[in-house]
Amino acid sequence: MVRFSASDLSKLVRAETVDSRPKTEDSAKQGSGAAPDQAMSYPPTAEAFSRVVLEGLMRAAEFGIVAITGFAVYVALVVRLRGFEWPPLILIPLMAAGIVLILQALGLYRLAAFRKFPMGSLRLIAGFAAAYLIALGASFILKLDQNVMQLFLLAWFAVGLTVMLGARILFAVVVDRLVRAGRLTRRTVLVGGGPSANELLQQFADLPQSDLQILGIFDDRADERSPAVVGGFRKLGTVDDLIEFSRRTRVDLVIFALPITAEQRILQMLRKLWVLPIDIRLAAHMSKLHFHPRSYSYIGTVPLIDIVERPLADWDHVLKLCVDKIIGSLCLLFLSPVMLAVAIAVKLGSKGPILFKQKRYGFNNELIEIYKFRSMYADKPDYAAAKLVTRGDPRVTPVGRFIRKASLDELPQLFNVVFKGNLSLVGPRPHAVQAKAAERLYDEVVDGYFARHRVRPGLTGWAQIHGWRGETDTPEKIQHRVEHDLHYIENWSLSLDLYILAATPFALLKTTNAY
């Protein structure tokens, strides 16, 4: 598959400067070629629930159901009649895993199977029966006590199947509610209008089952090649409008309905859209070039070429979230005496509140409120961080000077990690909205700056452990910081997060740029 890495795309971006800053209402209207008001009218939506994760949870749940019912039958029947025997006990986890594999082969872990429970129940019964016969045959070959094994397996088959059918009804209700809430649909926009988009939309409409929800079409062309309505869907604006649109409402997937040969148009649009935390695909439905089937991803039977993948999707997202909650909670517990001592010092050091709240950029440029210990005099706050703190800054209190050097002022952000969920332990540091380098806003200094917001910001990061923390008074400093942030996003792994967490205390010993 053709995929661009963050480094590849950042090079493309530098070849042509693109303004990807969040727009105001007025600027959005001026930049749109068609129907910008409609594009901006979509309300915010709930976060999508990963189909991959949901299907994995269903497998785990049904493995647990089969295993628990097996142990229950073993205790109630085998132990009661014959005492403790090893063969049935060893068989339980093997049988549970076997049933899950059989149901997987029968396609019963696709979400469509949960939604159409009555039709899938026959395959479920057939899968259980096949597992029962396999286990019975294995017990005969191994010359186990047939009286015990037949009674045990028959009872387990009846109880396990009954419980599983009941669980499937419950799962069907849960899946149906998630579908109705739009959390299992892929909210999709098309880039490019005309005949290519019309044919693609028709192919999507012909699919018997699809999780796509087409929101509309965006196209930079404003002539007869790109009509206002294509395949029943309105043109909502230009590609510039799509950036603002995706920050106002959830967009999961962007599909380029363009010929593969239109390289320049595709690259021009990628320079604008790569800053967004979304999947980008190129439709190959009209291409005369035919690659190996494994070169494509598919929606139904429609072939797509993967161009950009959303970072930290599916199980990666779940894994990182679990690490944040578990390690973040432990940090809060063990660092609470330190936080209490800092709070007392801040309160006694100068008049004013202990905590300082500030708006900063979060995931997908969302404005979030983070907590810090107050390090400035109460009558000299800088909520927008319009002026960087410098060495000997008179706005900083004596206590504030110490806690800023040691980064103790950042500890309350553990509440953001554990309770609010808008920060991660590791990620690009959240910057204030008006933060500047050499009197210029960060996004004016660094092309593609907002690409660092494709993941949740963090308390520490790859840039910080490499010395790029503290004052960013020159364009070179913020450029290096953003480059490190993009490297982290492109190369994320759990081991990388753990390494950064372990290296952070040592990085804090270097206080050269921390004022």
Side-chain angles (χ1 to χ4, degrees):
M1 297 183 185
V2 179
R3 287 193 180 94
F4 288 91
S5 67
S7 58
D8 295 331
L9 288 168
S10 63
K11 291 175 183 176
L12 291 174
V13 168
R14 290 187 193 122
E16 178 180 326
T17 301
V18 174
D19 183 7
S20 58
R21 282 173 287 172
K23 297 181 180 180
T24 62
E25 292 282 350
D26 293 338
S27 63
K29 292 178 182 179
Q30 291 171 1
S32 175
D37 290 334
Q38 182 175 352
M40 300 309 152
S41 65
Y42 276 80
T45 54
E47 184 179 356
F49 201 108
S50 168
R51 298 166 66 93
V52 173
V53 172
L54 183 60
E55 290 171 0
L57 292 176
M58 297 298 190
R59 292 186 192 94
E62 294 195 336
F63 175 88
I65 289 171
V66 175
I68 290 171
T69 55
F71 280 115
V73 171
Y74 173 78
V75 171
L77 194 62
V78 178
V79 174
R80 183 178 177 184
L81 297 178
R82 302 290 296 270
F84 181 83
E85 292 191 4
W86 273 108
L89 193 61
I90 296 174
L91 181 65
I92 290 173
L94 298 177
M95 181 82 163
I99 288 177
V100 170
L101 290 174
I102 291 172
L103 298 185
Q104 173 72 31
L106 293 173
L108 290 176
Y109 287 112
R110 299 192 187 103
L111 291 185
F114 288 99
R115 298 187 68 186
K116 296 183 177 180
F117 169 72
M119 296 175 60
S121 60
L122 294 178
R123 283 187 291 168
L124 180 67
I125 295 171
F128 254 80
Y132 169 75
L133 293 175
I134 292 172
L136 194 61
S139 69
F140 179 78
I141 293 172
L142 295 174
K143 298 180 179 181
L144 302 178
D145 188 331
Q146 290 301 298
N147 292 328
V148 173
M149 292 304 299
Q150 288 182 16
L151 183 61
F152 168 66
L153 289 173
L154 184 60
W156 188 10
F157 173 80
V159 175
L161 181 59
T162 301
V163 175
M164 186 76 90
L165 290 171
R168 282 269 164 166
I169 295 173
L170 178 61
F171 293 159
V173 172
V174 171
V175 169
D176 185 63
R177 288 186 177 180
L178 289 173
V179 170
R180 290 178 183 275
R183 300 193 64 184
L184 290 177
T185 57
R186 280 188 285 182
R187 292 168 59 85
T188 304
V189 299
L190 267 58
V191 172
S196 179
N198 187 62
E199 182 172 336
L200 181 62
L201 289 168
Q202 185 59 52
Q203 290 188 27
F204 286 149
D206 291 340
L207 294 176
Q209 293 180 345
S210 174
D211 63 343
L212 293 186
Q213 178 187 358
I214 306 296
L215 304 179
I217 299 169
F218 291 82
D219 197 342
D220 285 338
R221 297 174 298 180
D223 51 29
E224 66 278 358
R225 294 175 300 170
S226 180
V229 178
V230 178
F233 294 92
R234 291 188 61 82
K235 179 179 174 182
L236 300 180
T238 66
V239 174
D240 287 327
D241 295 320
L242 174 55
I243 296 173
E244 181 67 13
F245 178 76
S246 68
R247 287 173 176 153
R248 290 173 178 252
T249 190
R250 195 186 94 221
V251 175
D252 303 312
L253 177 63
V254 171
I255 300 177
F256 287 167
L258 301 169
I260 294 178
T261 54
E263 293 182 8
Q264 290 304 314
R265 284 189 67 197
I266 293 171
L267 290 176
Q268 184 181 15
M269 294 174 181
L270 279 177
R271 292 186 184 109
K272 299 178 181 181
L273 298 179
W274 78 289
V275 300
L276 299 174
I278 53 180
D279 294 323
I280 300 178
R281 305 283 185 265
L282 173 62
H285 63 298
M286 295 184 68
S287 175
K288 294 181 180 180
L289 292 173
H290 295 286
F291 302 104
H292 191 279
R294 292 182 181 178
S295 299
Y296 301 104
S297 60
Y298 292 87
I299 297 177
T301 57
V302 181
L304 304 171
I305 297 175
D306 297 355
I307 300 179
V308 176
E309 294 280 357
R310 173 176 175 161
L312 290 175
D314 301 327
W315 285 109
D316 287 344
H317 175 74
V318 174
L319 185 61
K320 187 171 177 64
L321 186 63
C322 291
V323 169
D324 284 342
K325 298 302 182 183
I326 295 171
I327 298 182
S329 298
L330 293 174
C331 288
L332 263 180
L333 178 64
F334 290 113
L335 292 174
S336 55
V338 177
M339 295 175 68
L340 178 61
V342 173
I344 294 172
V346 170
K347 189 65 178 177
L348 296 178
S350 62
K351 294 182 179 179
I354 294 173
L355 293 179
F356 175 77
K357 293 186 289 185
Q358 189 178 55
K359 294 287 186 181
R360 296 197 177 186
Y361 281 126
F363 174 71
N364 199 22
N365 278 37
E366 177 188 5
L367 286 181
I368 61 174
E369 190 174 63
I370 68 163
Y371 302 112
K372 299 182 67 174
F373 283 122
R374 180 177 57 84
S375 60
M376 294 184 178
Y377 290 103
D379 60 345
K380 299 178 181 179
D382 186 4
Y383 294 104
K387 181 182 178 183
L388 289 175
V389 176
T390 57
R391 186 187 299 273
D393 198 312
R395 298 174 298 168
V396 180
T397 67
V399 172
R401 208 172 309 282
F402 171 76
I403 64 175
R404 289 178 71 92
K405 272 189 172 293
S407 290
L408 296 175
D409 61 324
E410 311 285 359
L411 288 180
Q413 288 166 38
L414 286 168
F415 292 109
N416 288 90
V417 174
V418 177
F419 298 111
K420 300 189 75 172
N422 52 15
L423 284 188
S424 178
L425 285 175
V426 181
R429 285 292 296 146
H431 293 156
V433 178
Q434 296 297 320
K436 298 176 182 178
E439 300 303 319
R440 295 168 62 197
L441 293 172
Y442 287 164
D443 61 282
E444 295 174 351
V445 175
V446 182
D447 294 331
Y449 167 80
F450 289 117
R452 68 193 298 275
H453 299 157
R454 289 183 296 155
V455 298
R456 282 182 301 152
L459 269 72
T460 184
W462 187 246
Q464 283 64 46
I465 67 169
H466 284 84
W468 299 107
R469 73 183 188 98
E471 188 180 23
T472 51
D473 54 332
T474 66
E476 291 74 20
K477 288 181 180 179
I478 188 60
Q479 179 73 51
H480 283 299
R481 186 179 289 191
V482 172
E483 288 175 354
H484 280 73
D485 291 337
L486 296 181
H487 174 87
Y488 167 78
I489 294 171
E490 181 69 19
N491 296 280
W492 180 88
S493 67
L494 178 59
S495 60
L496 180 61
D497 269 9
L498 296 177
Y499 171 77
I500 292 172
L501 287 173
T504 295
F506 301 99
L508 294 177
L509 298 176
K510 301 176 182 179
T511 60
T512 306
N513 294 322
Y515 307 131

